[in-house]
Structure formats: C-alpha cells, structure tokens
Amino acid sequence: MLGMNVMVTAKIDSIFSRWQDGVCPGGQVLVRKDGEIIYDKCFGYASLEHKLPITGETVFHVASVSKQVTVMCVLLLHEDKLLDIDDDIRVYIADLVAFSEPVSIRNLMNNVSGVRDQWELLMLQGVRIDDTITQQDAKDVIASQAELNFPPLSRYMYSNANFTLLAEIVERVSGKSLNELARERIFAPLGMSQTCFKDRYWQMIPNRAESYKLVGSEYVHAVLNYGTYGATSLNTTATDFLKWMENLKNPVICNKETLSLLLACPTLLDGTISQYAGGIAVADPKMYKGRPFVGHDGSDAAFKSSTVRFTEEDIEIIIFSNTETVSLGSAVNQIADIVMGVEASQTVATEVPEFYRAEFDERDAAGLYFTRGEVSMIVEVTKQGDQLWMREGYGASPLSHLDGNRYRLSTLDADLFLGKSAGMRFGARFFELEKRENGSGNCEEWSGYTGKYESGEVRTRYEVLAEAGELFISHHRNGKHLMAQIAPDQFVASIGQNLFGITISFTRGDKGEVTGCLFSSSRLSNVAFTKV
C-alpha cells in the first residue's frame, strides 16, 4: 500500500513533467522505503502510433541492468559446483579467446578483465545500433581480439563483452539457454512472470514498450534490433524487478555466500578496491551525492533504466523509460531527497562549472567541440539564421539559450556551455570541451597521415583524407568526419552515430614515416590499424 502524503507525491510527480505533456513517451517509477511501496506511477505512452499508455504491465528493455542477472546465473552454477569463478575462461570457451593472458570468470564479472567492449568494436566495423545484431556477431568480434585493453586486474574498464562471454559460459555449462536457466532458477521462483531475456531480434515480447528519441520537436523511433544478450536484453517491469531487488537483501534463490559473491568488489593489483561488483555498482562516490548504494543504470537506443538501493536509508528506486528526455540519475537523487525530507536549501548546490561565462557573444557559439583525455566526445554546433543546432545520430536538434554561454539540449536533458570556455553537463556529470579553431592544422604535415589503414582484429578499413586544408577520416558505413588534433600525431573524431568518438594515435617507423594508427575510446585501448 502506498504510504506517502499528497505534497510529497506531487513533488515526485513534478520531476517527470516532461512525461505528462500530451502523447509522449515516458516510463514507470517505483519507490520503496523500509519495505513499503510509497510511490508507484506510470507516465506517458508505450506506443505513440497506437496511443497505448504505459501501465504497470508494460515491459521495458532495461539494457545494462541485465548484467547482474547474468552474473547470478553464473553464480548459481558456481553454487552447484558446475564451474568455478576463479577458473580461466579458456576452460569453457577456449575457441573465443585469441589473447594470451589468463582471464578468470570473476574478472569478467567485475569488469577488470581487459577484454575489449563489443559495441565499440562493432561500431568500428560500421555496425549501427539499428542493425540486426545477433549474439554470434558479438562473439565473432570478441573472438578476433588478439590483445586486451590492459592486463587483468590492473584496472577497471567497463566492457559489455565480459557479459556476452559470461552468457556463453552459462549456456555451455548448463546445456540451456541463458533465458531458460534464468527463468527456471530466478524468474519463476521470484514470481517475475513478465521478465525474460530477449535472445533473438525477431522475438515478440507481449506488452513491450517502443523506444523514442526527440529530434527537434518531433519524436522518432529509436530502433533496437538486438539479438545479443547477457550484457543487455533483459525485458521486465518495475514491479517484477522489485522482486529481484528484494532478493539482493533477503536471498531466496541462492545462499548468502552466493549473494556475497555477487556484491563483492575486487582488489586491483595496485591494492585499490574497484567499486564494480558482479554486474552491479557498489557505492561509487561520484554518484548520488556520496550516499552508499547498490545499483546499475542502462541505456540502449532511447531506452533508459536506473535501479538503485540506498543501503543506509533502505530506499529502493526503480525507473524504466522509453525515452531520454529526463535524466534518470538526477531524478533518482531528487526522489531520494524528497523521501528523506531533505529541503532544497539543504541539498548539495548545483555546481557552476568553471567554463560558464555570464558574458558571451553568440557569434562564437557554432563550431566543432571535443574533449581531451580518456573520454572522447565530439559535439558539432551549427547556426541556421538565428537558431543554434546540435548534431545527433537521428538529425540535428535545436538549442535553447538559458543564460550566458549556457544552452539547453532538451532532447537529451543536457546543458551545453559554448564558446572558447566550453563544456557539457549530463545530470551531475561534466565534460570539459575545447572548441576547434578552423584551419588550425599544418597542411604539409597532413600529407604524411593520408592513406588507407586496415585492422585484422576488427576486419575493416579506414581512409585518412586531406581536403581543403582539413584532415578527415572516412569509412564505407560510418561516413566521413573531421579530425581534431589534440597532440602531436594524435586526433579525435566522430565514428558512427554517437556523441562519443575515437582517439586516433598515429605510429611511426624508424625513419619517421607514418606506419599505422591506434584507435582508443573509453572502452577500447590501442586497437591497431596498419597503413597499407
């Protein structure tokens, strides 16, 4: 039974005002405090075409929230003594391993294996999110990797490939599909009657929501044709998933030792403790105002999900959405404040980034912006008449001017700070951007980079072109994109439809000639291409 006063309910309702604006996508929001459901509401539409409202029975693709369930399947087999999570994965899937270093099942569970991310690799090949992507596609690209991102346990790096490999181990050891084993050992015992892994892209899921992006003022289909699973493709409802979260406190489907393995964070080689456990994050201080928590977020196409349990306050929050017009991380924090009775004046003030400028000339706004460092991001802002636009995968969206050099991109619930002092804010996350100055390159130097580059590991070819004093990288499916230099022999560029790009580092031979390049991103390190 719901036990929350009208004023508090209204405050939570207001967080999701974007989902109450006519026929628009939205989501499910479920909050439990001290074991009692205190908020349970649905907003928006599961199908805009058919005007079908989202209800408690609507099923959502919850993306990376799937990972913890895949890990539990592994741990149940460990509990049955059918496998050991400290075994080298070659014991079970030797045919999918081309790298030389030993990697354990536990390394995969904790995202410390060094195995390269499958989506980044497929993106390099030119595979798009709306292509029909099968489990075999993912396994093939993983199996062709002769190198790791780093030695196992030397650092944490998020990789979806880890959980695709875990799903394969589950299936080979159990003799059942991941979905069959999960249904038998997890979903049925917990009463999760509307939950399954979608393991074929053509599979029908009753009551499933469609996914929608906002482009300008128009919603469009964000097509998702996944047939991959393990890292993703769990389909469920907020009510069903709350039963899973209860099992994380009071285990029914496993013993307490197995649950402790799921929630255990690894110690890295340097002695530090990673904060990513078995397919689930544990108390990352950068999130949720330093409150201890257990949970995970998910994002595929325009499906967004956030599942969090604040362990000290015993507050559980589940938000599943079929659009990205509300920042779920910010929404979770706001809900937690409301439930705990924290007044706005007592909350941590929204940080004003150093790159905010009150005085700003809009003529300096348009251009190409990029990040330096591990996270490569490319933002292209154009101006048509008096309107600024930002390029996205599904087209350009208008920017609304707020104040100074701060603009709002409502389609992604993000703020942009433009000009020479630039940055981007997604919820509580900030990315400092640098504006590229046109014609800043050395045309004579560019000629050494031009040519074709091939990689055996991703089985594709890119071409570097010099045109009109600019350097471009081109691919038969990913298109042609401007390269921005960030250091000697190092550039960033967009690849495919994403905001997040690739860092390209050129390599040279003994005589100083360019011999190849290395592609890196936040989930890839040094994928080698040879100049041909």
Side-chain angles (χ1 to χ4, degrees):
M1 177 179 290
L2 299 183
M4 182 170 280
N5 65 52
V6 174
M7 183 178 296
V8 172
T9 299
K11 286 181 179 180
I12 297 179
D13 288 348
S14 68
I15 298 170
F16 303 100
S17 60
R18 293 288 300 275
W19 295 352
Q20 302 170 56
D21 186 16
V23 180
C24 63
Q28 297 170 339
V29 184
L30 187 59
V31 183
R32 183 165 66 176
K33 174 79 169 83
D34 297 326
E36 179 187 3
I37 294 175
I38 58 175
Y39 187 92
D40 184 4
K41 284 199 176 183
C42 299
F43 301 93
Y45 287 77
S47 170
L48 302 189
E49 293 93 332
H50 300 291
K51 294 185 172 58
L52 296 176
I54 291 171
T55 70
E57 304 297 306
T58 302
V59 174
F60 287 83
H61 170 102
V62 297
S64 290
V65 171
S66 312
K67 291 176 169 65
Q68 57 199 281
V69 181
T70 300
V71 171
M72 178 57 79
C73 289
V74 172
L75 291 175
L76 289 170
L77 297 176
H78 176 85
E79 184 177 298
D80 294 343
K81 295 183 168 47
L82 295 176
L83 59 76
D84 189 313
I85 60 172
D86 290 314
D87 283 342
D88 190 318
I89 60 175
R90 287 173 178 79
V91 173
Y92 308 97
I93 51 171
D95 55 309
L96 299 181
V97 178
F99 45 81
S100 59
E101 296 92 337
V103 170
S104 72
I105 293 174
R106 194 192 295 261
N107 294 157
L108 299 181
M109 289 165 41
N110 298 145
N111 266 330
V112 293
S113 68
V115 176
R116 290 167 172 162
D117 183 79
Q118 65 197 39
W119 297 122
E120 304 282 298
L121 294 167
L122 289 167
M123 179 188 69
L124 285 182
Q125 287 185 338
V127 175
R128 299 170 186 152
I129 191 71
D130 51 4
D131 287 336
T132 51
I133 307 170
T134 68
Q135 188 79 338
Q136 192 61 49
D137 293 330
K139 290 190 293 185
D140 285 347
V141 76
I142 296 168
S144 67
Q145 300 307 299
E147 302 290 339
L148 294 173
N149 283 325
F150 50 80
L153 269 178
S154 62
R155 59 172 297 192
Y156 160 86
M157 182 181 279
Y158 195 88
S159 174
N160 288 280
N162 289 324
F163 301 89
T164 296
L165 294 180
L166 288 176
E168 183 70 12
I169 291 170
V170 166
E171 295 188 335
R172 294 191 187 187
V173 171
S174 70
K176 301 174 182 179
S177 72
L178 178 69
N179 185 54
E180 288 171 338
L181 183 70
R183 184 175 64 236
E184 175 187 311
R185 301 290 297 273
I186 301 173
F187 306 149
L190 294 180
M192 299 170 68
S193 59
Q194 291 188 277
T195 302
C196 70
F197 278 102
K198 184 180 180 183
D199 50 19
R200 293 146 291 158
Y201 63 81
W202 58 85
Q203 183 178 342
M204 295 288 292
I205 306 289
N207 299 322
R208 184 173 179 266
E210 296 291 340
S211 165
Y212 299 95
K213 281 184 178 286
L214 182 60
V215 179
S217 59
E218 177 186 11
Y219 283 104
V220 300
H221 262 301
V223 179
L224 189 68
N225 285 324
Y226 280 5
T228 67
Y229 54 91
T232 184
S233 292
L234 185 71
N235 283 251
T236 188
T237 68
T239 300
D240 264 16
F241 200 79
L242 189 63
K243 299 171 183 177
W244 162 260
M245 293 183 75
E246 175 64 26
N247 187 76
L248 296 182
K249 294 192 296 184
N250 303 299
V252 172
I253 60 171
C254 64
N255 60 40
K256 291 184 178 180
E257 180 183 356
T258 295
L259 183 60
S260 68
L261 290 172
L262 180 81
L263 299 174
C265 294
T267 301
L268 304 180
L269 296 178
D270 64 3
T272 60
I273 298 176
S274 171
Q275 292 177 313
Y276 195 90
I280 191 166
V282 178
D284 184 337
K286 294 179 292 185
M287 300 172 66
Y288 307 121
K289 301 180 182 178
R291 298 171 172 133
F293 82 99
V294 173
H296 212 291
D297 294 339
S299 176
D300 280 331
F303 285 114
K304 301 289 180 181
S305 55
S306 186
T307 61
V308 178
R309 177 165 67 90
F310 294 105
T311 52
E312 291 183 352
E313 298 87 357
D314 194 18
I315 297 172
E316 292 152 306
I317 301 172
I318 300 172
I319 310 176
F320 295 153
S321 174
N322 62 339
T323 190
E324 50 196 10
T325 53
V326 172
S327 168
L328 299 196
S330 294
V332 165
N333 252 328
Q334 291 177 66
I335 291 171
D337 282 345
I338 292 167
V339 172
M340 287 188 284
V342 178
E343 297 297 328
S345 60
Q346 295 176 286
T347 60
V348 177
T350 301
E351 179 185 353
V352 178
E354 291 182 2
F355 37 83
Y356 174 77
R357 295 292 179 269
E359 299 296 325
F360 177 66
D361 188 338
E362 193 170 277
R363 290 175 295 182
D364 295 331
L368 186 75
Y369 296 83
F370 61 91
T371 57
R372 297 177 184 266
E374 186 174 289
V375 178
S376 297
M377 181 184 289
I378 306 291
V379 176
E380 185 179 341
V381 176
T382 60
K383 189 171 185 179
Q384 299 176 23
D386 294 329
Q387 179 63 55
L388 290 173
W389 299 78
M390 182 179 130
R391 181 185 64 82
E392 296 184 76
Y394 283 72
S397 290
L399 295 173
S400 302
H401 185 230
L402 298 179
D403 51 73
N405 68 336
R406 183 163 63 114
Y407 292 77
R408 184 72 175 165
L409 182 67
S410 60
T411 58
L412 285 176
D413 195 16
D415 288 347
L416 268 176
F417 301 84
L418 301 178
K420 293 182 179 179
S421 178
M424 192 172 201
R425 172 166 53 200
F426 289 103
R429 297 185 68 192
F430 294 97
F431 298 91
E432 186 165 359
L433 297 172
E434 183 173 329
K435 187 179 181 185
R436 183 185 183 278
E437 298 299 329
N438 292 332
S440 58
N442 184 324
C443 297
E444 184 177 343
E445 182 184 353
W446 287 170
S447 63
Y449 299 124
T450 59
K452 296 176 180 178
Y453 297 79
E454 289 184 346
S455 169
E457 288 183 294
V458 288
R459 301 170 188 170
T460 196
R461 171 184 287 192
Y462 282 83
E463 184 172 7
V464 176
L465 308 164
E467 296 180 358
E470 302 284 10
L471 206 60
F472 296 86
I473 189 161
S474 178
H475 185 268
H476 72 286
R477 287 208 83 197
N478 286 331
K480 185 171 72 172
H481 298 277
L482 184 67
M483 299 169 65
Q485 189 166 25
I486 59 174
D489 286 338
Q490 193 172 74
F491 297 78
V492 292
S494 291
I495 298 291
Q497 297 176 308
N498 297 322
L499 279 176
F500 294 95
I502 290 289
T503 299
I504 304 162
S505 303
F506 289 94
T507 56
R508 295 183 180 271
D510 295 338
K511 299 179 180 178
E513 77 283 9
V514 174
T515 57
C517 61
L518 303 171
F519 281 31
S520 299
S521 71
S522 59
R523 298 178 183 178
L524 291 180
S525 293
N526 299 327
V527 178
F529 282 72
T530 302
K531 193 173 184 182
V532 294

